[in-house]
Amino acid sequence: MGKKLLKKEKIGTLVDGVVKKGGVFVAPKLMARQVAYGPVLDASEVEFDYIVPRNSFKEFMFPQTEPVARFIVTREGVELEEVRVSVPDQMVIFGARPCDAAATAALRSVFTWDFVDEFYTGRQDASVVITIACTRGDEACFCTAVGLKPDGSEGSDILLKETAEGDFIAEAITGKGRAFVDKRRDVFEDRVSGKIKEIFTPERLEGINLGRISERLKDKGHYDEPVWAELARKCIGCGACTFACPTCHCFDMVDEGNYAAGERRKNWDACQFDTFTLHASGHNPRDTQYKRWRNRFMCKFNFYPEKFSSKGCVGCGRCIRVCPVRLDITEVMEELSCSR
Ligand code: SF4
Ligand code: SF4
């Protein structure tokens, strides 16, 4: 299938087609004066003036909280009630950024690793990710430093490139994307026209060398080097970086309710919280904040690449933007790129 033209004025038809059939259409929209991915019912809600939405779209595949089982305590014992995964027939993630789309590979690898988590895979399988290549960025963007591109197609079903006229040249990347486009001939036109806008390329961070970081992290002798305490001394353990990160996936299972009935819920958790690895005995193997920060860095640049061959960091820059103490992961990457 060749490239197609998606005129901006046809986005309304696109939204209506999904919503009227009971599907969910997620797109960047204004929420509390910030652009964030959220469900939209009408094309007038879709925001096009953004760099990277405040949140990642992982919350539509891996919600911040959801029940996985219900229980009732009876005289005979505990009765468990299965909770059906709530998956829409179709979910469209429109206006994704290439970094966020690429992050789905990381989530998929962890949620299908030793157990297939249908709460995640069900929603991801029902989703069509329509990405818009970046024509704007800021100083926190660094996708190119982790081997991605601002017009890359990793994780996207359809890749859109904006034209000077404000329309989009659409390219189906996967079979799912092709089927989506083929079914919507009233929206995607064959006659492609328009000049593609210039793609934004993040500033090159010459000091970052992923190969050297990976080599340095392999030898766990670095665990107690003073460099970690120096680099992460500012971290206050708020967890904002993990909640905002498109690849962070840690969750906790919590029973909520009362003595007679309740729910077992899967809630987002964060390795930056001091209780994350706290044992019932009171022992905490990551008893200081720099150890918790070191773990997050290890997860991104050692555990993910070694265990899953996927990227633990896609360079979206959210952790830099949201950090209240401005702890910049690229500075740590640069430091770890230096040979000892
Ligand atoms: S956002 Fe900043 S202060 Fe908060 S846990 Fe992450 S690195 Fe630490
Ligand atoms: S670690 Fe930071 S830059 Fe990397 S993917 Fe997560 S939020 Fe984005």
Side-chain angles (χ1 to χ4, degrees):
M1 192 188 81
K3 294 191 174 143
K4 306 272 181 190
L5 180 69
L6 170 62
K7 286 205 173 133
K8 199 170 179 181
E9 72 226 31
K10 289 289 178 73
I11 290 171
T13 316
L14 193 63
V15 177
D16 289 350
V18 173
V19 172
K20 283 187 180 147
K21 284 196 181 138
V24 175
F25 199 98
V26 173
K29 62 190 262 193
L30 265 183
M31 289 194 263
R33 297 196 209 165
Q34 287 186 308
V35 178
Y37 293 110
V40 301
L41 297 174
D42 188 275
S44 61
E45 293 177 78
V46 180
E47 185 59 58
F48 293 93
D49 184 16
Y50 64 101
I51 293 174
V52 176
R54 175 183 52 75
N55 55 347
S56 85
F57 65 73
K58 73 176 175 187
E59 66 192 61
F60 297 96
M61 299 177 183
F62 166 40
Q64 198 160 7
T65 178
E66 68 178 321
V68 293
R70 295 203 171 87
F71 57 88
I72 302 170
V73 182
T74 64
R75 282 179 192 280
E76 286 71 42
V78 179
E79 279 176 20
L80 269 184
E81 186 193 315
E82 200 183 338
V83 169
R84 287 193 53 220
V85 187
S86 104
V87 178
D89 285 343
Q90 182 168 62
M91 179 155 68
V92 171
I93 311 284
F94 179 86
R97 286 303 186 206
C99 50
D100 286 341
T104 55
L107 292 181
R108 182 97 191 178
S109 53
V110 83
F111 285 124
T112 56
W113 160 37
D114 53 351
F115 171 79
V116 175
D117 183 337
E118 290 171 10
F119 287 83
Y120 176 82
T121 58
R123 294 191 192 98
Q124 195 194 7
D125 292 345
S127 302
V128 175
V129 177
I130 306 180
T131 301
I132 302 180
C134 301
T135 52
R136 292 175 55 202
D138 65 14
E139 71 286 354
C141 294
F142 66 97
C143 65
T144 46
V146 293
L148 292 170
K149 293 197 295 184
D151 57 351
S153 61
E154 234 175 272
S156 304
D157 295 303
I158 299 167
L159 178 65
L160 304 181
K161 288 185 183 162
E162 197 179 350
T163 67
E165 295 75 22
D167 300 323
F168 299 95
I169 310 289
E171 184 184 358
I173 306 297
T174 61
K176 205 198 273 185
R178 266 188 293 280
F180 185 87
V181 170
D182 282 346
K183 270 195 212 144
R184 290 166 178 82
R185 293 186 179 274
D186 56 334
V187 172
F188 294 94
E189 299 177 13
D190 287 331
R191 200 173 44 80
V192 173
S193 63
K195 187 175 176 330
I196 291 176
K197 272 192 182 172
E198 192 180 341
I199 298 298
F200 162 84
T201 304
E203 192 186 322
R204 268 187 86 78
L205 296 170
E206 302 287 354
I208 292 181
N209 183 318
L210 280 188
R212 234 178 281 149
I213 295 175
S214 159
E215 276 310 303
R216 190 147 170 203
L217 297 184
K218 263 184 200 155
D219 172 9
K220 304 294 185 285
H222 68 76
Y223 264 44
D224 294 313
E225 285 178 11
V227 69
W228 291 111
E230 283 161 27
L231 291 170
R233 74 186 185 288
K234 292 194 289 187
C235 178
I236 55 170
C238 67
C241 51
T242 57
F243 280 19
C245 179
T247 66
C248 278
H249 56 267
C250 288
F251 61 86
D252 197 9
M253 294 298 231
V254 180
D255 289 344
E256 294 178 4
N258 57 33
Y259 69 93
E263 283 183 340
R264 176 156 292 182
R265 298 191 77 89
K266 182 178 166 191
N267 294 335
W268 285 5
D269 203 351
C271 61
Q272 299 307 289
F273 295 157
D274 58 358
T275 49
F276 185 77
T277 47
L278 180 64
H279 298 181
S281 64
H283 172 66
N284 192 340
R286 292 188 212 131
D287 55 357
T288 55
Q289 194 55 36
Y290 85 81
K291 292 180 185 170
R292 300 190 265 275
W293 205 92
R294 180 190 65 203
N295 175 75
R296 182 162 191 271
F297 195 85
M298 287 293 290
C299 189
K300 308 274 168 220
F301 298 103
N302 179 262
F303 308 153
Y304 256 111
E306 289 217 336
K307 199 170 191 76
F308 305 122
S309 312
S310 62
K311 290 184 194 308
C313 172
V314 292
C316 70
R318 281 193 186 85
C319 55
I320 303 169
R321 293 184 201 97
V322 300
C323 180
V325 297
R326 202 75 186 164
L327 208 168
D328 185 336
I329 195 168
T330 60
E331 288 171 12
V332 182
M333 291 167 78
E334 283 178 344
E335 180 63 35
L336 270 285
S337 294
C338 302
S339 32
R340 275 176 287 177

